[in-house]
Amino acid sequence: MQTDLSPDKILPRAIDVYTNKTKIKMGKLMILAFFAGVFVALACEASTLAASSLLGDRSKFPIGKLVQGLVFTPGLIFVILAGGELFTGNTLMTIPLLDKKISLGVMLRSWILVYFGNFIGALFVAFLLSRSGQWFFADGLVGVRTILIAKGKIDFSFGQALVLGLLGNFLVCLGVWMSLGAKSYGSKVISAFFPISVFVLSGFEHSIANMYYLPAGILAKNFPDFASKTGLGLETLKSLNISNMVFKNLFPVTLGNIIGGTIFIGTLYFLAYRNDNKD
């Protein structure tokens, strides 16, 4: 009978898993990274659709965020169970780096390739949805909410985006860390479910999710019906562009995600448990 690992036994498992990830051949790595970007983007799309009518009502906003969080959680679950390489989860490669199983160069190469593959997967979903007609659901409410979510993300200051990214990937990597100790599908689902729900409910930031949200918002604002219904005005929506997507959101959020995963989960758990596994 399979038994889930106790916290002190997860560290050796993490070292093995993330060391082996650096050995994946490039073709396979890019396919798995593409899949992870698609999985997360589909979770973003579904959560936007599910919560569209609730997020615009202040009295229902907390319920809307809860619905958004519950519907978003399958994104990470798909990555864990179906197989995918997710940049934010792979910030835990700092564990075998600290254990001297891999080099800094090997880790950074893997990060860059997976980040790029995730981006392609998320852009693929955003493009398909822009052609699908789904944003016209509920008299265009889904398209309007797609724009408003993206606009809100580029309005953060650098410091806000950094801290929200740190907290976001702290929770994502916590879910990944716990799933490494889970042996059954059910245990893995539970491990991912609660941290991701808290992450979305709290409004924290995730760079790979934003690789869908921001391009989707930029594409959606080009539909005149959606843009006019946001109530923001065309001049205001000009700030929703590729330059701001990169420099006002993706850069600080990615940096925060790296800090949250590498230091607050990877490094601290390594320091906590390394002496328990010397043998």
Side-chain angles (χ1 to χ4, degrees):
M1 182 177 179
Q2 290 184 326
T3 303
D4 295 335
L5 300 177
S6 59
D8 61 304
K9 300 300 181 185
I10 295 176
L11 182 62
R13 168 72 173 156
I15 292 171
D16 288 343
V17 167
Y18 285 101
T19 299
N20 288 333
K21 282 179 181 290
T22 65
K23 300 174 183 177
I24 299 174
K25 292 183 179 180
M26 184 182 292
K28 179 179 178 181
L29 183 68
M30 297 307 295
I31 292 172
L32 294 176
F34 173 82
F35 272 138
V38 168
F39 296 155
V40 171
L42 289 174
C44 294
E45 166 271 319
S47 64
T48 300
L49 176 61
S52 287
S53 63
L54 298 170
L55 293 174
D57 186 334
R58 290 187 179 182
S59 65
K60 297 178 180 177
F61 183 79
I63 300 299
K65 292 299 290 183
L66 178 60
V67 170
Q68 195 176 26
L70 295 176
V71 178
F72 183 84
T73 54
L76 181 60
I77 293 170
F78 294 162
V79 171
I80 292 171
L81 298 188
E85 291 298 313
L86 185 65
F87 166 77
T88 46
N90 283 6
T91 58
L92 292 179
M93 282 183 180
T94 190
I95 295 172
L97 177 67
L98 291 170
D99 201 48
K100 299 181 180 179
K101 294 292 193 299
I102 63 172
S103 68
L104 178 62
V106 166
M107 182 183 76
L108 292 178
R109 174 185 176 275
S110 180
W111 280 5
I112 291 168
L113 291 173
V114 170
Y115 192 86
F116 178 72
N118 290 166
F119 208 165
I120 296 301
L123 285 174
F124 177 70
V125 173
F127 174 77
L128 289 183
L129 286 173
S130 72
R131 298 294 187 269
S132 71
Q134 191 220 51
W135 292 343
F136 288 93
F137 288 4
D139 195 28
L141 182 60
V142 177
V144 171
R145 183 54 51 190
T146 298
I147 296 172
L148 291 175
I149 289 173
K151 182 65 171 66
K153 289 180 179 295
I154 64 165
D155 286 345
F156 292 131
S157 69
F158 186 95
Q160 286 177 314
L162 179 74
V163 172
L164 291 171
L166 186 159
L167 292 169
N169 207 35
F170 172 86
L171 287 167
V172 170
C173 286
L174 179 62
V176 173
W177 172 266
M178 292 191 297
S179 75
L180 289 171
K183 294 296 183 69
S184 68
Y185 271 18
S187 296
K188 290 180 182 293
V189 168
I190 293 171
S191 296
F193 183 85
F194 290 102
I196 300 305
S197 296
V198 172
F199 141 59
V200 179
L201 177 60
S202 302
F204 299 148
E205 290 288 293
H206 186 262
S207 57
I208 311 307
N210 290 353
M211 290 174 182
Y212 166 79
Y213 282 127
L214 292 166
I218 291 170
L219 290 169
K221 79 167 188 175
N222 293 319
F223 291 84
D225 288 348
F226 301 156
S228 63
K229 289 179 181 179
T230 62
L232 297 177
L234 295 179
E235 285 300 314
T236 302
L237 288 177
K238 284 183 179 179
S239 65
L240 187 54
N241 55 53
I242 293 174
S243 176
N244 284 338
M245 174 184 77
V246 173
F247 295 107
K248 294 197 68 177
N249 187 275
L250 286 182
F251 176 67
V253 169
T254 300
L255 184 58
N257 286 169
I258 291 172
I259 295 170
T262 60
I263 297 177
F264 288 94
I265 295 294
T267 299
L268 293 183
Y269 270 127
F270 178 81
L271 294 175
Y273 290 125
R274 62 177 176 173
N275 292 327
D276 295 345
N277 296 278
K278 283 186 175 180
D279 293 339

